[in-house]
Amino acid sequence: FGSGWAYNVDRHKIGKYWKVIPDNTDILVTHGPPKGILDLTQYGNASNGEGLVYFQCGCEDLLKRVKKIEPKYHVFGHIHTEANCPNSGTQRIVNCETTFVNASVVNLQYVKNNDGIVIEI
């Protein structure tokens, strides 16, 4: 996403931060998502759809850590819902007890486009 943005750390350096998440974590809150979980974004000419490519932009090291500790919930945002990329909501993955929650409530123009997620604990 470029340089100078808040919360950015180079991919090859980020793993050390995820290692300090305690093994007994029940609710994990991070700024961004793990790789492949409600993390789609698009690149290309969105105005005419030509050359539009969708890719997963979450963190692979974060996904590995979450799979290892399996908190009950992993809540994040950062990746907003775009046209054809519905990222808000919850998701479960195979062989993992965690419920993933993308709690972002605005679109790329920072206009509220959903009411958020309510979870009962």
Side-chain angles (χ1 to χ4, degrees), residues 41-110:
T41 193
Q42 57 192 20
Y43 178 80
N45 189 343
S47 63
N48 65 12
E50 292 180 22
L52 204 55
V53 177
Y54 300 94
F55 62 97
Q56 297 171 332
C57 57
C59 180
E60 191 169 340
D61 286 338
L62 177 57
L63 178 61
K64 289 176 187 175
R65 184 66 178 146
V66 171
K67 282 183 170 181
K68 182 176 181 184
I69 65 173
E70 291 191 321
K72 292 177 184 169
Y73 296 96
H74 179 196
V75 181
F76 50 87
H78 184 63
I79 305 303
H80 308 272
T81 295
E82 304 175 48
N84 302 315
C85 294
N87 289 310
S88 62
T90 62
Q91 183 176 338
R92 296 287 301 265
I93 60 174
V94 176
N95 298 325
C96 185
E97 294 299 316
T98 302
T99 297
F100 296 90
V101 180
N102 184 331
S104 179
V105 297
V106 298
N107 63 18
L108 291 175
Q109 291 74 40
Y110 301 104

